[in-house]
Amino acid sequence: MSGATDRTVVVAGAGGIGGRAVCAALTAAGAHVVAVGSRAESLTDVDAAETAVVDLADPAAVAEWADALRARRPSIDGLLHLVGGWRGGSAPDDWEWLERRVLTTLRVASRELRDDLSASSAGRLAIVSSASVAQPKWGMANYVTLKSAAETWVQALASGWRTKGTPTAAVTFVVGALDEPGAVDDLAAACTALWSVEADQLNGALVELTSAPSTNPS
């Protein structure tokens, strides 16, 4: 039996290439997958127990949605933040566009669900970061800075759960690009396996699913 069986797992950014694969893998493993996206059309044919259109950058909208989810599900066991977005350069407009997707959605959703994950018998939070963060270049300055900030946010969550001693873990998966051969399958397998590994082995981990930096990141 998979460790993900009967777990309620929220997949944010479920309509993207990575999100669809992760939803399908978790559903096959017996999880109750809640597929969340910003547009209804992006969630068409996603393999999930339920779908929700939510602006994850809006705290009020996220709180309303989360309250309704809590009323239906006895435990929320996972938040997988797979919200995508890519623009190169350092322009202010591109920064604002990326910040909302890469960082704000993570910050808002994780703040709202943090206590739920803490209360779970195996709460898991994961994000996807970029191998480019380790080799930042001016041509993608906005992107790598925000991905680095997202990694730092996850480490702060991990530290809090470590201090509390709860069976909860925050993990960062590092990829080059999700259109690399095998990258999506690797991500789906890694996300599904989160509930088959003890929290103290996962919490705060930076897991490289690929070692090759890319100029066309996830």
Side-chain angles (χ1 to χ4, degrees):
M1 179 180 292
S2 166
T5 300
D6 295 330
R7 297 291 183 184
T8 299
V9 183
V10 175
V11 180
I17 181 175
R20 285 176 173 271
V22 168
C23 286
L26 282 167
T27 297
H32 181 98
V33 177
V34 183
V36 179
S38 59
R39 297 174 295 109
E41 56 269 28
S42 74
L43 299 174
T44 302
D45 298 326
V46 171
D47 192 354
E50 55 182 287
T51 61
V53 178
V54 185
D55 180 358
L56 292 176
D58 181 343
V62 171
E64 181 179 3
W65 160 76
D67 283 344
L69 178 59
R70 292 182 189 109
R72 296 192 303 276
R73 302 298 298 173
S75 176
I76 300 175
D77 307 294
L79 171 60
L80 307 182
H81 184 271
L82 309 178
V83 180
W86 159 247
R87 288 187 181 181
S90 58
D93 288 350
D94 294 329
W95 173 273
E96 292 176 8
W97 186 89
L98 282 167
E99 182 180 36
R100 182 178 180 85
R101 289 158 177 78
V102 172
L103 187 58
T104 302
T105 57
L106 169 64
R107 185 171 52 81
V108 172
S110 62
R111 278 175 57 87
E112 178 63 38
L113 297 180
R114 178 172 175 263
D115 289 345
D116 299 281
L117 297 176
S118 297
S120 167
S121 61
R124 300 290 184 267
L125 178 143
I127 68 167
V128 175
S129 191
S130 171
S132 302
V133 171
Q135 298 180 28
K137 297 179 181 178
W138 182 247
M140 55 177 69
N142 284 338
Y143 180 82
V144 295
T145 298
L146 287 165
K147 281 292 191 181
S148 179
E151 290 186 16
T152 300
W153 182 267
V154 170
Q155 289 300 317
L157 285 166
S159 176
W161 283 324
R162 190 178 298 115
T163 299
K164 285 186 174 183
T166 59
T168 319
V171 180
T172 298
F173 294 120
V174 179
V175 303
L178 289 178
D179 57 3
E180 292 177 346
V184 166
D185 292 340
D186 288 348
L187 176 62
C191 286
T192 304
L194 287 171
W195 288 269
S196 298
V197 182
E198 294 296 327
D200 58 1
Q201 298 178 48
L202 287 172
N203 195 32
L206 194 69
V207 181
E208 293 188 8
L209 301 183
T210 178
S211 59
S214 171
T215 57
N216 182 28
S218 60

